[in-house]
Protein backbone atom coordinates (compact mmCIF):
# COMPACT_ATOMS: atom_id res chain seq x y z
CA UNK A 1 0.00 0.00 0.00
CA UNK A 2 2.82 2.38 0.84
CA UNK A 3 4.59 1.65 -2.43
CA UNK A 4 1.38 2.32 -4.35
CA UNK A 5 0.95 5.68 -2.59
CA UNK A 6 4.54 6.65 -3.34
CA UNK A 7 4.14 5.71 -7.00
CA UNK A 8 1.10 7.98 -7.31
CA UNK A 9 2.84 10.88 -5.58
CA UNK A 10 5.96 10.42 -7.68
CA UNK A 11 4.06 10.77 -10.92
CA UNK A 12 3.77 14.24 -12.40
CA UNK A 13 -0.02 14.01 -12.50
CA UNK A 14 -0.42 14.92 -8.83
CA UNK A 15 1.58 18.13 -9.27
CA UNK A 16 -0.28 18.93 -12.47
CA UNK A 17 -3.69 18.44 -10.85
CA UNK A 18 -2.71 20.56 -7.85
CA UNK A 19 -1.32 23.25 -10.20
CA UNK A 20 2.19 23.00 -8.71
CA UNK A 21 4.14 22.11 -11.84
CA UNK A 22 4.48 20.26 -15.11
CA UNK A 23 1.79 22.49 -16.63
CA UNK A 24 1.68 23.50 -20.29
CA UNK A 25 0.46 27.06 -20.68
CA UNK A 26 -0.89 28.58 -23.86
CA UNK A 27 -0.17 32.04 -22.44
CA UNK A 28 1.34 33.62 -19.34
CA UNK A 29 0.53 37.31 -18.96
CA UNK A 30 3.49 39.06 -17.36
CA UNK A 31 4.22 42.50 -16.02
CA UNK A 32 6.14 44.58 -18.57
CA UNK A 33 9.12 44.72 -16.18
CA UNK A 34 9.66 40.99 -16.79
CA UNK A 35 10.58 41.60 -20.45
CA UNK A 36 14.24 42.32 -19.66
CA UNK A 37 14.58 39.35 -17.30
CA UNK A 38 13.59 36.80 -19.96
CA UNK A 39 16.33 34.87 -21.81
CA UNK A 40 17.52 36.29 -25.13
CA UNK A 41 16.83 32.94 -26.83
CA UNK A 42 13.07 33.56 -26.62
CA UNK A 43 11.75 35.18 -29.80
CA UNK A 44 10.69 38.76 -29.05
CA UNK A 45 9.96 40.24 -32.50
CA UNK A 46 8.93 38.92 -35.94
CA UNK A 47 8.54 35.36 -34.69
CA UNK A 48 7.96 32.47 -37.06
CA UNK A 49 6.04 29.24 -36.36
CA UNK A 50 4.03 30.68 -33.49
CA UNK A 51 2.00 27.49 -33.11
CA UNK A 52 4.89 25.48 -31.68
CA UNK A 53 7.60 27.91 -30.55
CA UNK A 54 7.80 29.94 -27.35
CA UNK A 55 7.53 33.65 -28.13
CA UNK A 56 6.69 37.02 -26.58
CA UNK A 57 3.89 39.29 -27.75
CA UNK A 58 3.85 42.87 -26.49
CA UNK A 59 0.33 43.50 -27.84
CA UNK A 60 -1.51 46.78 -27.33
CA UNK A 61 -1.36 46.80 -23.54
CA UNK A 62 1.60 48.91 -22.44
CA UNK A 63 1.72 47.42 -18.94
CA UNK A 64 1.68 43.70 -19.84
CA UNK A 65 3.41 41.25 -22.17
CA UNK A 66 2.32 37.74 -23.16
CA UNK A 67 4.59 34.70 -23.09
CA UNK A 68 3.15 31.98 -25.34
CA UNK A 69 3.70 28.19 -25.49
CA UNK A 70 5.54 27.75 -22.19
CA UNK A 71 5.72 24.93 -19.65
CA UNK A 72 5.87 25.50 -15.89
CA UNK A 73 8.10 22.89 -14.32
CA UNK A 74 7.43 24.23 -10.82
CA UNK A 75 5.17 26.95 -9.45
CA UNK A 76 6.07 26.52 -5.79
CA UNK A 77 7.66 29.33 -3.86
CA UNK A 78 8.74 32.76 -4.98
CA UNK A 79 9.85 31.72 -8.48
CA UNK A 80 8.27 29.91 -11.40
CA UNK A 81 10.66 27.48 -13.10
CA UNK A 82 9.76 27.51 -16.80
CA UNK A 83 10.79 25.63 -19.93
CA UNK A 84 10.46 26.78 -23.53
CA UNK A 85 9.43 24.46 -26.35
CA UNK A 86 13.13 24.26 -27.30
CA UNK A 87 14.02 22.94 -23.84
CA UNK A 88 15.56 26.16 -22.45
CA UNK A 89 14.95 26.32 -18.70
CA UNK A 90 14.84 29.52 -16.67
CA UNK A 91 13.16 31.05 -13.65
CA UNK A 92 11.03 34.13 -13.23
CA UNK A 93 9.81 35.89 -10.12
CA UNK A 94 6.21 34.88 -9.39
CA UNK A 95 5.29 38.53 -8.76
CA UNK A 96 5.67 39.20 -12.51
CA UNK A 97 2.93 36.70 -13.41
CA UNK A 98 -0.46 38.40 -13.68
CA UNK A 99 -2.59 35.65 -15.26
CA UNK A 100 -2.32 32.19 -16.80
CA UNK A 101 -4.12 30.48 -19.68
CA UNK A 102 -3.58 26.69 -19.58
CA UNK A 103 -3.20 24.69 -22.76
CA UNK A 104 -6.10 22.24 -22.87
CA UNK A 105 -4.42 19.91 -25.40
Amino acid sequence: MILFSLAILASGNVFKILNYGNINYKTLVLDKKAFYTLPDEICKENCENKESNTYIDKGDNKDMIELHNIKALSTLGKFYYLQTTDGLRFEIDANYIKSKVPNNN
Side-chain angles (χ1 to χ4, degrees):
M1 182 66 175
I2 294 173
L3 290 175
F4 178 72
S5 299
L6 287 175
I8 290 176
L9 288 175
S11 73
N13 292 334
V14 172
F15 288 109
K16 193 171 186 177
I17 291 169
L18 295 175
N19 201 25
Y20 290 142
N22 199 28
I23 306 161
N24 290 313
Y25 287 110
K26 182 176 180 181
T27 304
L28 285 178
V29 178
L30 307 173
D31 189 296
K32 184 176 88 171
K33 296 174 188 172
F35 183 79
Y36 299 104
T37 66
L38 296 172
D40 293 334
E41 292 85 359
I42 297 176
C43 182
K44 297 178 180 172
E45 292 182 13
N46 302 323
C47 303
E48 297 178 13
N49 197 7
K50 291 184 177 183
E51 293 299 317
S52 62
N53 289 336
T54 301
Y55 67 97
I56 297 170
D57 183 14
K58 292 183 183 178
D60 295 331
N61 190 337
K62 296 179 182 179
D63 297 329
M64 306 288 174
I65 59 173
E66 295 178 351
L67 183 60
H68 297 277
N69 303 326
I70 193 80
K71 182 176 186 174
L73 300 174
S74 173
T75 60
L76 295 173
K78 185 179 177 183
F79 292 94
Y80 272 43
Y81 295 95
L82 303 174
Q83 180 176 339
T84 66
T85 54
D86 296 335
L88 174 68
R89 294 180 179 191
F90 64 98
E91 64 182 35
I92 188 167
D93 191 316
N95 293 325
Y96 286 140
I97 298 178
K98 301 303 177 191
S99 73
K100 304 169 272 196
V101 178
N103 193 349
N104 294 327
N105 294 340

